[in-house]
Amino acid sequence: MRRRSFLKAAAATGLAASAGAFLTTRRAAVAQPSEVLAAFPDKFVWGASTSSYQIEGAVTAGGRGPSVWDTFSHSFGKVANGDTGDVACDHYNRYAEDVDLMAKAGMNAYRFSVAWPRVQPTGTGPANAEGLDFYDRLTDALLTKGIAPWPCLYHWDLPQALQDRGGWTNRDIAGWFTDYAQIVAARIGDRAKHWTMLNEPSVHAIFGHGLGGHAPGLIGKGNYFKAIHHQNLAQGMALKALRAAGGGKDWQLGTVLSLQPVWPVGGLDANYAASLMWDAVWNRACLDPLLRGEYPELLRDGFAPLVKAGDLEAIRQPIDFLGINYYSRMHQQPDPAGLFGTGYGSPPEGTPTTGMGWPVEPDGIAEFLIELKQEYGNPPVYVMENGAAYPDQTGPKGFVQDNDRISYLRRHMLAGHQALEEGVDLRGWFVWSLLDNFEWAEGYQRRFGLIEVDRQTLERRPKASYHWYADVIRRKGVPTSV
């Protein structure tokens, strides 16, 4: 029985113990790889991901306009330690050094995001030539080193001028985004062949528009529904426009969703309804319209006032691949104060956690990959983000020996390999992240990078995980033991 069907049946009939046994069996099956090198296909894509506001800095250079994250991070108390992305990693000026580090590790792909306010400082109107020039230079530098550019058109840094017009709560943004997408694709699409429309639209809607902890800092279910629907619509319209414009340019078009299995806390009957609701809010609100042309049943009443004739057809566009971001499962229980009446609870006893307090559950990525195969037609999939923040300690020789991060990545890649063995069409892996960066509301206190960035000098220092990953790429496989 498929996971979703089983969970629904369990919620309806009270078979909590049976559901727990089913999922525990899956966990055990994935977590026990054979003691040999887990080899990946020769054409497997190995890369890293970043996002513009988190690494570029240079927020006033080259005609760039302000974004919602400039506004949010400069608002008192919104970001830890008052940190901002004003400088970030200074990738805008140091991109060549970063590209060289990727090349030395053997990476053959780099997913970066394009800053909308660099390209259109006010969000609409003529393109800003200097902003496009930067992505021209970056694209050429990558190709010179044998690294395929994978631009993502939106990773949360909306032009502030568009937010002043309602941002993602304004239906007109679907057209604004489509115009912007075509401008970027027209400039670097002769060289960039893999395009992702959005990064984690559900996360942006939940934390930026529902809970207020991310830019633009809006609160309420109504804003969540608008942000989700208008992102879905913008994505569909942009996919259609780029598909038409691509012609014979052999573009591969897709998008990136955060997909995390949701389990009821403790496997208890009382928590199943909460887990199903949060699964709809986080996962299905973007996945189902894209691949099935419908919103999940639990949320249809909320979306109904927003959906106009033809919207779902516009959203359900063919994609060449689906990017997924995975960090951990989410364990849910009822919480009247939650955005949808649910809240986070404890994972199973003994589950380790990262420096962010997130449970380390590598079998969860295999769980969702296999579900995509069983219930969504087995689309070509790339893991676009997978990584962990830990409190890295620099040793006396200036080197970070981040064994926890290596263990996290190794175990998740082994789970991905298990999914491959079960027929999932998994084609690549992008580690989050290349660099220690501005980690949104957490500022610079959380470090996900394969490469340490000195906050005073901005010097790049590869960590042990960088060298480990380079070895994985060279061998085209993951060691099954330390």
Side-chain angles (χ1 to χ4, degrees):
M1 182 181 291
R2 294 175 180 176
R3 183 183 73 94
R4 289 288 298 163
S5 300
F6 191 93
L7 284 177
K8 288 179 179 178
T13 62
L15 297 178
S18 298
F22 172 82
L23 295 170
T24 301
T25 300
R26 165 63 67 193
R27 165 179 276 186
V30 173
Q32 302 297 324
S34 58
E35 293 300 317
V36 296
L37 184 74
F40 286 77
D42 287 342
K43 293 184 178 180
F44 201 75
V45 174
W46 298 102
S49 290
T50 64
S51 87
S52 50
Y53 189 75
Q54 293 181 272
I55 68 166
E56 284 183 3
V59 294
T60 61
R64 178 188 179 276
S67 77
V68 292
W69 269 99
D70 294 297
T71 302
F72 190 81
S73 65
H74 281 271
S75 300
F76 179 77
K78 297 297 186 181
V79 176
N81 305 313
D83 292 339
T84 75
D86 290 1
V87 176
C89 304
D90 196 29
H91 179 73
Y92 182 84
N93 294 305
R94 297 169 181 256
Y95 70 90
E97 180 181 357
D98 296 335
V99 170
D100 190 52
L101 285 165
M102 284 185 269
K104 288 179 178 177
M107 298 182 202
N108 55 20
Y110 173 46
R111 193 203 83 174
F112 59 93
S113 76
V114 177
W116 193 342
R118 280 203 197 282
V119 175
Q120 289 177 298
T122 62
T124 60
N128 172 38
E130 285 189 74
L132 286 170
D133 286 347
F134 169 68
Y135 297 107
D136 242 350
R137 295 192 297 272
L138 175 59
T139 297
D140 286 343
L142 290 165
L143 291 171
T144 297
K145 295 289 187 177
I147 302 170
W150 286 57
C152 177
L153 289 166
Y154 184 73
H155 198 136
W156 307 356
D157 48 350
L158 186 74
Q160 181 61 44
L162 293 187
Q163 185 59 42
D164 294 342
R165 299 166 69 179
W168 289 107
T169 68
N170 183 342
R171 184 182 172 90
D172 290 343
I173 199 170
W176 302 334
F177 178 77
T178 302
D179 292 343
Y180 153 70
Q182 291 178 97
I183 289 171
V184 179
R187 182 61 177 269
I188 62 173
D190 58 330
R191 289 152 289 157
K193 304 301 182 183
H194 298 83
W195 292 84
T196 61
M197 303 301 104
L198 306 177
N199 178 80
E200 297 185 341
S202 67
V203 180
H204 188 40
I206 292 166
F207 292 106
H209 297 79
L211 297 174
H214 283 183
L218 304 184
I219 296 174
K221 286 198 293 187
N223 293 319
Y224 161 85
F225 281 118
K226 290 177 183 177
I228 285 283
H229 184 62
H230 297 151
Q231 285 182 97
N232 285 340
L233 187 61
Q235 174 181 277
M237 289 173 59
L239 282 167
K240 184 176 181 179
L242 294 193
R243 184 78 62 194
K249 294 181 179 178
D250 65 354
W251 289 343
Q252 295 284 297
L253 305 179
T255 200
V256 182
L257 305 180
S258 174
L259 299 177
Q260 325 285 333
V262 184
W263 281 17
V265 173
L268 299 176
D269 287 357
N271 298 329
Y272 270 100
S275 71
L276 293 173
M277 174 57 79
W278 194 246
D279 179 66
V281 170
W282 187 287
N283 295 315
R284 315 295 162 174
C286 295
L287 184 63
D288 284 4
L290 175 63
L291 298 184
R292 291 178 171 169
E294 62 183 14
Y295 279 111
E297 184 177 355
L298 288 174
L299 301 178
R300 285 178 191 168
D301 288 347
F303 283 114
L306 303 171
V307 178
K308 295 186 178 181
D311 279 6
L312 292 174
E313 291 78 10
I315 293 169
R316 190 183 188 184
Q317 293 295 316
I319 55 173
D320 299 303
F321 65 88
L322 178 66
I324 76 162
N325 297 346
Y326 175 84
Y327 292 94
S328 67
R329 289 193 182 93
M330 295 178 289
H331 300 268
Q332 291 285 300
Q333 59 193 0
D335 180 356
L339 185 64
F340 283 85
T342 80
Y344 288 87
S346 300
E349 185 176 355
T351 303
T353 59
T354 69
M356 297 281 284
W358 298 348
V360 179
E361 297 176 291
D363 49 313
I365 194 169
E367 180 184 335
F368 218 114
L369 287 169
I370 291 166
E371 183 172 334
L372 288 171
K373 172 179 178 286
Q374 293 176 339
E375 298 194 20
Y376 290 90
N378 203 21
V381 173
Y382 295 85
V383 173
M384 287 290 190
E385 289 185 23
N386 178 243
Y390 287 102
D392 295 337
Q393 298 296 321
T394 304
K397 295 184 179 180
F399 182 74
V400 173
Q401 185 66 47
D402 53 338
N403 293 331
D404 286 339
R405 182 171 293 106
I406 291 171
S407 175
Y408 178 99
L409 291 171
R410 184 182 67 83
R411 293 176 64 197
H412 282 76
M413 289 175 184
L414 288 175
H417 185 268
Q418 175 66 28
L420 264 173
E421 295 280 291
E422 296 197 31
V424 171
D425 191 4
L426 177 62
R427 300 187 180 186
W429 203 281
F430 293 70
V431 171
W432 183 271
S433 179
L434 180 69
L435 305 166
D436 287 343
N437 57 30
F438 175 83
E439 191 52 44
W440 306 119
E442 297 287 339
Y444 296 102
Q445 66 183 356
R446 305 298 189 187
R447 303 173 184 176
F448 280 85
L450 297 171
I451 299 168
E452 181 186 21
V453 178
D454 188 290
R455 290 311 315 154
Q456 300 302 314
T457 67
L458 300 178
E459 177 188 358
R460 275 73 163 140
R461 292 189 287 262
K463 304 176 187 178
S465 58
Y466 167 91
H467 298 288
W468 177 88
Y469 188 39
D471 190 58
V472 167
I473 296 170
R474 179 183 60 81
R475 300 172 69 187
K476 298 179 181 178
V478 180
T480 60
S481 59
V482 178

